[in-house]
Amino acid sequence: MRLDKFLSSAGTGSRTEIKKLIKGGVVTVNSSVCLRAETKIDPENDTVCLFGEVIKYQKFIYLMMNKPKGYVSATFDRRLPTVLDLVPEEYLHFEPFPAGRLDIDTEGLLLLTNDGQLAHNLLSPKKHIPKTYFAKVNGCVTETDILEFRHGVTIDGGIKTKPAILEIISAGEISEISLTITEGKFHQVKRMFEAVGKKVVYLKRTKMNALRLDEALSPGEVRELTAEELELLRKGF
């Protein structure tokens, strides 16, 4: 990897700023001053310092966000704020993107990463990665609904969903439920309840694969995953 690209990927500045720093003699590679931006280095084995401070190489970033309402799960939108607007500047040089999407009015666990292979595994229909949601539903959810969801329901357009696990937390005029699905059709949770004559009025994703949302994160807050959490996310693939 080129030295200037390495420093850029570490968030030390723009390419122009980095080239000036290198020419200024404040960058060393294995204790020797390096004045050429195009110098090739081994990010895993060479020691690069800027102003005497070791710069660590990190290829991928994995961020957990507690997504609030009002933000679209995209890297860019002409009209609406995106989840990237909530990501601290220190992570933006990694160019993270949302792995999957939550509707603009849906809250909860959202993964942002620049690891395309991990995102593909999480979203691939062949992997059947479970995703769990907490919802408030207008209408009394019953044992009959649990059985229907267990066998898959036919949503609008004649599409039958895969079996889902529906748990009733409280039932009444407004019911509270937990629902685990293994696919990600457009507005799927809302459409499944519409298929049984009910309406979702609040939706929050609480779990993706074996990774749970850190409830200590306020809506809009972001933090890096721990190594243990990353393993929970990768469980099964």
Side-chain angles (χ1 to χ4, degrees):
M1 178 184 289
R2 283 175 56 119
L3 178 60
D4 56 351
K5 184 177 180 182
F6 170 85
L7 290 169
S8 176
S9 70
T12 58
S14 68
R15 285 292 184 94
T16 300
E17 292 169 337
I18 288 167
K19 286 179 180 179
K20 288 180 180 179
L21 290 170
I22 293 172
K23 287 181 179 180
V26 296
V27 177
T28 62
V29 178
N30 299 327
S31 301
S32 298
V33 173
C34 185
L35 301 174
R36 298 173 62 240
E38 65 272 21
T39 297
K40 293 295 180 69
I41 64 160
D42 180 347
E44 303 293 341
N45 296 305
D46 290 332
T47 301
V48 178
C49 294
L50 176 63
F51 293 112
E53 182 179 345
V54 176
I55 304 299
K56 294 183 179 180
Y57 177 68
Q58 184 177 349
K59 184 176 182 180
F60 295 123
I61 192 75
Y62 305 95
L63 302 173
M64 176 191 293
M65 174 183 288
N66 185 355
K67 178 193 171 295
K69 293 180 181 180
Y71 290 81
V72 293
S73 299
T75 56
F76 174 78
D77 191 278
R78 293 185 182 277
R79 299 179 298 108
L80 300 167
T82 75
V83 290
L84 281 190
D85 295 329
L86 300 168
V87 175
E89 190 174 349
E90 64 197 87
Y91 298 123
L92 293 178
H93 69 274
F94 287 103
E95 299 182 347
F97 55 87
R101 64 187 302 278
L102 293 176
D103 297 337
I104 190 169
D105 60 348
T106 300
E107 302 178 4
L109 176 60
L110 183 67
L111 174 73
L112 294 110
T113 184
N114 58 349
D115 186 341
Q117 186 59 56
L118 176 70
H120 171 76
N121 286 335
L122 288 172
L123 303 175
S124 172
K126 297 179 181 178
K127 299 290 185 180
H128 308 299
I129 299 300
K131 295 171 282 291
T132 302
Y133 296 82
F134 167 79
K136 294 181 180 180
V137 180
N138 195 343
C140 187
V141 179
T142 67
E143 294 293 327
T144 300
D145 297 323
I146 291 176
L147 290 174
E148 286 199 47
F149 277 50
R150 186 179 298 165
H151 294 98
V153 298
T154 302
I155 56 181
D156 57 290
I159 302 167
K160 188 169 184 178
T161 68
K162 293 185 183 302
I165 301 171
L166 173 60
E167 298 176 41
I168 301 172
I169 299 171
S170 65
E173 188 175 335
I174 299 292
S175 301
E176 295 186 353
I177 63 90
S178 172
L179 178 66
T180 300
I181 60 176
T182 58
E183 52 190 342
K185 292 179 169 55
F186 185 65
H187 293 322
Q188 181 170 339
V189 175
K190 296 173 183 176
R191 292 164 72 192
M192 289 177 76
F193 277 101
E194 286 172 1
V196 294
K198 298 173 179 69
K199 183 178 181 180
V200 173
V201 294
Y202 175 81
L203 188 61
K204 177 179 181 179
R205 184 157 66 193
T206 58
K207 192 175 178 184
M208 193 171 189
N209 208 356
L211 175 67
R212 289 186 179 276
L213 173 67
D214 180 355
E215 294 293 349
L217 284 178
S218 298
E221 286 191 332
V222 178
R223 70 163 173 80
E224 288 189 60
L225 294 186
T226 65
E228 293 78 12
E229 288 173 331
L230 185 56
E231 286 308 306
L232 291 174
L233 197 60
R234 287 173 167 160
K235 188 175 181 179
F237 62 81

